[in-house]
Every structure is written in structure tokens, then in C-alpha cells.
């Protein structure tokens, strides 16, 4: 005789069924792509079957995928809203640490979601388990029931493996790549497909490459630092052989005059982007990310490589590429007698920074936390730290040249501080009525006001460092650049940007500026847009530091393709360069 289910069991089963249906509507059925819809649907159903066979609790089998997949949906949506990328599987490997709490501290919705998830997910599943009861196969004998459970569970596991396999029935889902996933909103699909995007792929020799291209330079192509008699002045008479070099990564920074609608000259024409008599090269810079991924811009500057060359896992360069790089800018500078240091605005544990910088070849890593720096620290605080460390280092090393890599942080998003927290003229909408609908107009005005206000602090900081460095009485070179455009939570894409026709995507454009207090041996470093991967060889050329075989090739490619790298229209030339770099020089080892 079949006994009626207790009322509490019927209620929890109904609630679990409603949650499961809601998951299907918000997840798979919300996708406009048929294959992606079926992929997510198959994952959810296979998971429910596995739990059902393993637990024999039907309500629990519906609740587990509802809570877990639903949690992924919520986490992906929140991360995309505030950090412009969805939750991906590698995040659990690389970013599930105390840095996540630091990020969440600045985004209240993320903190609320973390706390709620930590409490509600296990709590709700424990409650459902307690309220439900094992009732599947209840009429079978124990031996038959166990056999059915084992066979069913094995079948469900096999189905999950087949579904989430790049070579399985949904192979097309895995072909869109990590960057497409990072800009996508199909959160369940992106998370599970990204499990297979963690393998570094070192480029193999390609067919169609131009033959006979020489990628080495003669000694005269490694110019001295100064033009003839350029350094033979009184103030440089007892100076070091090579100039001090300071490279500043300006967080989320681009020249606002690039925006068609940024028409207030006093705010949009900023001094730090303007050339003067000390400028040796400047202009637009091509980045390999937008809205985030600062560490990939660090990687490109310091190694001369593009993380996109190494497959989808290249996005996590400080973890998986930094230990494998053979040639780096710091190592070249070491060979020329430099001391190489980094000034980091956050803790060195953030994105594996301290270990990565050691792999790149730095002598000293100054942790911003040790100097009281934090996420909110204005650039003026960072300047004080720079002054202190620079003076201390020069006092210690004397005439030995110094290379400083420094990062700013204040321009990082979110750019949504209320108007009342900013001084005039940033305390009100600066460009009212420019964009439609009104919600977009209000949002862009708030973000632009925040951006321009913080940029004024960056401008003051750069002006100070420029004066400190270039008026020091020692030969010196200052290089600063924007690591990527800010996101404005995705809204920056609505802003029309003025870029040359040769630029394939204006969202990946920022700026670079290089100044010296001496006249270089060569001039004429001008490009429609300079790929950040070529900035290292440009610095070496203008500093007059002899380049190793990798940076000789890097400099030749820079000039032969007018500052373009992976988007170089001369594909046979690009193929020849990549073959030389990866197959001959083994720039990245296994």
C-alpha cells in the first residue's frame, strides 16, 4: 500500500519544481542561440538526473541544479555588471582568494551576493534534504534499487562528460573563445565552456610566412642614448651611462579628447596627453583588453608579447605565462647595468603580482600595502610614495641607472560616486542631453564626471613626476600609458571615438607618451597606433640601451608594420616574425 506523502514533502517538492522551471526560463530558454540553449538544458537535466539517482530524493534533485546553476546565473550577472566579465571557471582557480574580498568591498552588490551565497546555498540545500525523503525506486528490492542507482548515476555522469566536452555534441559552443565569453551574457554556457579554456597554447610554425626575413640588427641599429653632443652638457657631465627610466601604467586611462562628445576644452584637453619639446614619441596605443585585465597590459609591456597569442588561457598571464617567458624588458635592462624595481599600488598577492614580477626579472617589489596605499588612494598619495622610493634608491645606487615600473589605481571603476562627493565643475552633469535614452544619458554623465575628475588627479601626478625626473640633472626617460579603457559598466561602447581608419576596434585604444630630457640619437617614432607589445623596444631604442635578439626583432617588426602587431595587414611578415620569435628564439618555453 502506497502511503500519502507528508504535507511538508509535497510543499518542498512543489517549491523545488517551481525553482527548477524558473532556472530553465532564466537560463537555457533565455538564450537566442539554439546550440547554447540545448547545451545548458542538457547540463541542467543531466545534473538533476545524477542527483536523483544518487539521493533518491526528487525534490533535492530539482533543488540542487536550481540553487547551483541559479547561483552561477546571479554571480555571472553581478560580475558582468560591475566588472564587465561573467564568472568563468578559471576565476575559481586564480581569483578565489582574499583579493576577491577586497574587490567586493568596493562593490556592495558583490559583497551582498557573496554573503548571501555562503549562507543561502548550503542552508537551502540542507533544508530541502531534511524535508524531502528517499522515495525513488521505493517499491524495488534493495539489491535492484542499488543496481538502478549505480547504472543511472554512471549514465548521468557519462552524459555530463559528453555534453561538456569540446569534441562532444555541442562542440560549436566551445568555438567562440574566451574573449567572446568575457563579453557575453550567457552565464551558464560561458562558465562551463571555459573549463576547457585553461590550457596554454604556444604558437606553432605557420605556413605562408615570408621567407628570408632577417630579424637581427647591426650594432649601429642599437643607437646610443643621446644624439651627437646631446649629453655633453654640464649637467650631464658626470651622469650615469644610461638614463633612468620610469614607466607608469595609468589605470583605465585614455585621452578624453578622443571622444566625439567631449567638447569642453578645459576638461577634455588634458596636459598629460599633449606633446611638448621633450616629447620623443606619443599617440594612440593599442591594448589587448578593454574594461579590465590590467595584468595583460603589464605582460605585454614587459615581455613584448600579446597574451592573445597563447590561446584562451593567456588571459591569466601572471600565473601561467610569466614563469615561461624567456626574454623580458627587465632582463635586457639588467644586462645594461640597471637596477629594476616595481612600485605596486595594492598588495603583491593581487593577481599573483609579486611572483609574476619576480619571473619578469625585477630586483625589488615594493608592496603598496606596506606604504599605506589602497584601492581608494589618490594619485597624489602614490606620488609621495614614488618620491620617497626614488630618492632612496638613487641615494643607494648612485650613478647606476634605475628602471621603475609603477602602476596607478584611482582611475579604476566603478565611476559612480555621487556628484556631491566631487568638487566643481564635476559636481553636476557635464554633457546633459547628449545620449538617448535618458537613463543612458544620466549614467554616462555620471561616469564621465567621475572619470574626468580622477583624470585631473592623474594629470597633476604626472606633471609632478615629469618635473622630478626630467629636471633631476640626470639623463632620464618617462613613459606612461593607459592600460585599457574604463568600462562604465559597459556603457562606454555607446561613446563614439575618433580614431584612424586603420584601427580595427576603437574600444581597444588608449594612449602613450614618452619624454626625455635629452635628444635621442634618432627621431621620427610615429605610428597611427602603437601596439603596447612594441613599447619595450621603443623605450630601449630611445634610451640607447642595447637590445637582445628578441627585442631587436620586436623593434624591426614595430617599424615594418607601423606599430601594428596581430592586426598587421602583412600576414606573411607577421608569420615570419612569429615563427622567428616562437620557433627559433623559443620566447615562451613549455
Amino acid at each position: 500500500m502506497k502511503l500519502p506523502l507528508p504535507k511538508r514533502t509535497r510543499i518542498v517538492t512543489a517549491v523545488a519544481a517551481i525553482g527548477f522551471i524558473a532556472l530553465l526560463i532564466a537560463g537555457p530558454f533565455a538564450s537566442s542561440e539554439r546550440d547554447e540553449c540545448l547545451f545548458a538544458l542538457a547540463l541542467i537535466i543531466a545534473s538533476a538526473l545524477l542527483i536523483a539517482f544518487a539521493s533518491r530524493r526528487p525534490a533535492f534533485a530539482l533543488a540542487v541544479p536550481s540553487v547551483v546553476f541559479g547561483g552561477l546565473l546571479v554571480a555571472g550577472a553581478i560580475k558582468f555588471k560591475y566588472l564587465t566579465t561573467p564568472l568563468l571557471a578559471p576565476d575559481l582557480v586564480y581569483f578565489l582568494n582574499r583579493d576577491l574580498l577586497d574587490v567586493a568591498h568596493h562593490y556592495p552588490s558583490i559583497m551582498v551576493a557573496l554573503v548571501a551565497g555562503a549562507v543561502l546555498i548550503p542552508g537551502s540545500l540542507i533544508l530541502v534534504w531534511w524535508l524531502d525523503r528517499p522515495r525513488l525506486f521505493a517499491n524495488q528490492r534493495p539489491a535492484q534499487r542499488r543496481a538502478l542507482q549505480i547504472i543511472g548515476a554512471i549514465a548521468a555522469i557519462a552524459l555530463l562528460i559528453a555534453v561538456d566536452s569540446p569534441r562532444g555534441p555541442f562542440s560549436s559552443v566551445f568555438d567562440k573563445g574566451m574573449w567572446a565569453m568575457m563579453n557575453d551574457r550567457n552565464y551558464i554556457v560561458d562558465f562551463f565552456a571555459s573549463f576547457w579554456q585553461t590550457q596554454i597554447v604556444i604558437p606553432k610554425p605557420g605556413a605562408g610566412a615570408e621567407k628570408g626575413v632577417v630579424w637581427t640588427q647591426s650594432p649601429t641599429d642599437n643607437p646610443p642614448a643621446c644624439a651627437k653632443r646631446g649629453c655633453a652638457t654640464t649637467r650631464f657631465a658626470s651622469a650615469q651611462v644610461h638614463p633612468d627610466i620610469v614607466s607608469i601604467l595609468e589605470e583605465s586611462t585614455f585621452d578624453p579628447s578622443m571622444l566625439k562628445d567631449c567638447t569642453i576644452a578645459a576638461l577634455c584637453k588634458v596636459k598629460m596627453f599633449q606633446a611638448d619639446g621633450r616629447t620623443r614619441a606619443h599617440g594612440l596605443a593599442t591594448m589587448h583588453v578593454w574594461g579590465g585585465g590590467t595584468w595583460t597590459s603589464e605582460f605585454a609591456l614587459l615581455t613584448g608579447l600579446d597574451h592573445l597569442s597563447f590561446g584562451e588561457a593567456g588571459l591569466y598571464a601572471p600565473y601561467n605565462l610569466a614563469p615561461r617567458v624567456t626574454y623580458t624588458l627587465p632582463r635586457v635592462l639588467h644586462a645594461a647595468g640597471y637596477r629594476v624595481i616595481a612600485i605596486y599600488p595594492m598588495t603583491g598577492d593581487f593577481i599573483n603580482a609579486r611572483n609574476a614580477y619576480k619571473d619578469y626579472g625585477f630586483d625589488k617589489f615594493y608592496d603598496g600595502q606596506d606604504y599605506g596605499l589602497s584601492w581608494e588612494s589618490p594619485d597624489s598619495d602614490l606620488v609621495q610614495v614614488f618620491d620617497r622610493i626614488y630618492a632612496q634608491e638613487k641615494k643607494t645606487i648612485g650613478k647606476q641607472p634605475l628602471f621603475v615600473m609603477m602602476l596607478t589605481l584611482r582611475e579604476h571603476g566603478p565611476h559612480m560616486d555621487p556628484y556631491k562627493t566631487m568638487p566643481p565643475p564635476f559636481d553636476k552633469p557635464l554633457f546633459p542631453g547628449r545620449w538617448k535614452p535618458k537613463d543612458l544619458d544620466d549614467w554616462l554623465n555620471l561616469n564621465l564626471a567621475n572619470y574626468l575628475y580622477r583624470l585631473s588627479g592623474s594629470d597633476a601626478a604626472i606633471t609632478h613626476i615629469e618635473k622630478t625626473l626630467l629636471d633631476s640633472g640626470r639623463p632620464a626617460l618617462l613613459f606612461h600609458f593607459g592600460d585599457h579603457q574604463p568600462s562604465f559598466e559597459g556603457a562606454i561602447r555607446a561613446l563614439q571615438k575618433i580614431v584612424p581608419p586603420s584601427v580595427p576596434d576603437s574600444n581597444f585604444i588608449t594612449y602613450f607618451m614618452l619624454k626625455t630630457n635629452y635628444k635621442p640619437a634618432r627621431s621620427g617614432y610615429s605610428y597611427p597606433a602603437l601596439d603596447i607589445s612594441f613599447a619595450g623596444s621603443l623605450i630601449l631604442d630611445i634610451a640607447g640601451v642595447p637590445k637582445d635578439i628578441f627585442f631587436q626583432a620586436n623593434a624591426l617588426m614595430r617599424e615594418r608594420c607601423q606599430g601594428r602587431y596581430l592586426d598587421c595587414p602583412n600576414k606573411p611578415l607577421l608569420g615570419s616574425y612569429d615563427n622567428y620569435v616562437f620557433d627559433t628564439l623559443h620566447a615562451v618555453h613549455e
Side-chain angles (χ1 to χ4, degrees):
M1 180 178 177
K2 189 175 182 180
L3 297 176
L5 292 174
K7 183 178 180 180
R8 68 179 191 182
T9 303
R10 294 198 303 271
I11 292 174
V12 74
T13 302
V15 171
I18 293 172
F20 191 80
I21 293 171
L23 170 65
L24 297 182
I25 293 173
F29 297 157
S31 175
S32 59
E33 297 291 333
R34 176 179 172 273
D35 284 352
E36 295 189 355
C37 171
L38 293 175
F39 173 73
L41 186 63
L43 284 174
I44 292 170
I45 291 176
S47 300
L49 289 173
L50 175 60
I51 301 300
F53 282 112
S55 70
R56 296 179 50 231
R57 287 171 163 85
F60 187 70
L62 295 174
V64 170
S66 298
V67 172
V68 174
F69 285 85
L72 289 175
L73 274 174
V74 172
I78 291 176
K79 186 169 182 279
F80 194 95
K81 177 175 175 58
Y82 292 108
L83 302 178
T84 73
T85 59
L87 182 68
L88 301 175
D91 294 342
L92 303 183
V93 177
Y94 298 131
F95 300 152
L96 199 60
N97 49 42
R98 68 181 184 180
D99 298 331
L100 177 60
L101 296 179
D102 188 51
V103 172
H105 172 69
H106 298 86
Y107 296 90
S109 295
I110 295 179
M111 181 62 78
V112 170
L114 286 175
V115 174
V119 174
L120 294 179
I121 289 177
S124 61
L125 293 180
I126 291 172
L127 179 62
V128 173
W129 177 276
W130 180 67
L131 292 174
D132 199 9
R133 69 182 191 185
R135 47 200 162 99
L136 294 178
F137 317 122
N139 296 328
Q140 303 294 325
R141 293 177 180 178
Q144 292 174 325
R145 186 168 60 235
R146 284 193 292 270
L148 286 171
Q149 283 185 267
I150 293 172
I151 293 171
I154 291 175
I157 292 172
L159 178 60
L160 277 172
I161 293 173
V163 168
D164 195 34
S165 171
R167 297 182 180 179
F170 298 101
S171 57
S172 61
V173 171
F174 295 85
D175 292 338
K176 65 181 181 179
M178 184 70 83
W179 188 250
M181 293 178 191
M182 290 187 68
N183 292 279
D184 194 9
R185 302 194 186 200
N186 204 337
Y187 304 119
I188 292 176
V189 172
D190 295 339
F191 180 82
F192 284 95
S194 66
F195 271 102
W196 298 94
Q197 309 289 359
T198 58
Q199 182 64 42
I200 285 292
V201 179
I202 297 177
K204 302 297 182 184
E210 186 174 344
K211 305 295 185 181
V213 181
V214 176
W215 291 107
T216 55
Q217 295 179 319
S218 67
T220 57
D221 290 323
N222 279 315
C226 304
K228 208 172 201 180
R229 297 187 299 277
C231 286
T233 62
T234 302
R235 61 180 180 142
F236 290 161
S238 59
Q240 60 219 28
V241 175
H242 294 301
D244 286 344
I245 302 172
V246 174
S247 174
I248 304 175
L249 182 152
E250 288 286 341
E251 171 66 42
S252 301
T253 301
F254 69 102
D255 185 349
S257 66
M258 187 172 73
L259 300 178
K260 182 179 180 181
D261 291 306
C262 199
T263 54
I264 303 175
L267 301 179
C268 302
K269 301 290 184 182
V270 181
K271 181 178 180 294
M272 63 185 283
F273 306 116
Q274 308 302 313
D276 60 21
R278 287 172 157 175
T279 300
R280 309 309 175 197
H282 78 289
L284 300 177
T286 300
M287 300 296 129
H288 310 144
V289 285
W290 82 275
T294 294
W295 52 91
T296 64
S297 298
E298 296 172 65
F299 172 80
L301 171 67
L302 297 173
T303 68
L305 301 170
D306 185 335
H307 76 279
L308 297 172
S309 298
F310 305 96
E312 310 298 350
L315 182 65
Y316 300 93
Y319 296 93
N320 52 22
L321 282 176
R324 304 181 182 192
V325 175
T326 306
Y327 306 93
T328 70
L329 178 61
R331 290 171 189 160
V332 175
L333 293 170
H334 261 300
Y338 276 79
R339 175 168 168 80
V340 182
I341 69 171
I343 303 176
Y344 205 69
M346 296 180 67
T347 168
D349 295 329
F350 187 70
I351 317 295
N352 203 40
R354 183 182 290 104
N355 292 331
Y357 274 71
K358 183 178 179 180
D359 290 328
Y360 294 140
F362 281 78
D363 295 309
K364 176 72 175 179
F365 183 93
Y366 288 96
D367 191 314
Q369 201 170 53
D370 295 338
Y371 289 82
L373 296 175
S374 67
W375 193 297
E376 295 89 354
S377 297
D379 285 359
S380 57
D381 287 356
L382 187 59
V383 163
Q384 292 180 29
V385 173
F386 169 81
D387 285 346
R388 177 180 168 186
I389 292 174
Y390 182 71
Q392 171 188 313
E393 286 280 350
K394 291 306 296 182
K395 182 179 180 181
T396 301
I397 66 176
K399 295 180 181 180
Q400 182 183 5
L402 180 67
F403 174 81
V404 182
M405 175 72 184
M406 184 169 73
L407 288 74
T408 67
L409 191 58
R410 186 65 187 108
E411 271 289 11
H412 198 289
H415 294 85
M416 53 188 183
D417 295 344
Y419 288 114
K420 64 182 180 182
T421 64
M422 297 181 287
F426 309 103
D427 57 347
K428 60 183 180 300
L430 298 171
F431 311 99
R434 295 290 179 92
W435 304 281
K436 294 180 181 180
K438 187 178 185 304
D439 287 348
L440 177 63
D441 186 81
D442 293 342
W443 183 249
L444 281 174
N445 268 288
L446 178 63
N447 279 267
L448 281 169
N450 271 263
Y451 175 76
L452 293 173
Y453 169 52
R454 297 179 197 179
L455 184 62
S456 66
S458 298
D459 187 45
I462 288 293
T463 298
H464 173 87
I465 293 176
E466 181 178 324
K467 180 173 177 58
T468 299
L469 192 66
L470 301 188
D471 293 346
S472 65
R474 293 182 290 268
L477 182 155
L478 174 62
F479 176 78
H480 54 96
F481 70 102
D483 67 325
H484 56 72
Q485 292 181 17
S487 166
F488 299 162
E489 282 60 62
I492 198 169
R493 290 183 179 273
L495 297 174
Q496 186 174 350
K497 306 177 185 82
I498 305 169
V499 297
S502 60
V503 171
D505 191 335
S506 63
N507 291 302
F508 292 84
I509 293 296
T510 61
Y511 85 98
F512 79 98
M513 174 65 71
L514 195 157
K515 294 185 178 184
T516 69
N517 57 4
Y518 57 86
K519 186 177 180 181
R522 196 199 118 184
S523 60
Y525 298 100
S526 179
Y527 315 93
L530 177 71
D531 192 293
I532 189 61
S533 301
F534 294 133
S537 63
L538 179 65
I539 290 171
L540 294 173
D541 277 343
I542 295 180
V545 175
K547 301 184 291 294
D548 63 12
I549 52 177
F550 171 82
F551 281 98
Q552 289 178 41
N554 185 275
L556 288 169
M557 184 63 186
R558 183 190 75 221
E559 297 305 310
R560 288 168 177 171
C561 210
Q562 294 77 54
R564 302 173 74 172
Y565 183 15
L566 295 187
D567 59 338
C568 178
N570 188 340
K571 297 307 177 186
L573 178 67
L574 176 60
S576 173
Y577 176 71
D578 279 350
N579 286 354
Y580 178 73
V581 165
F582 296 113
D583 189 46
T584 302
L585 298 185
H586 303 289
V588 177
H589 49 269
E590 297 285 355

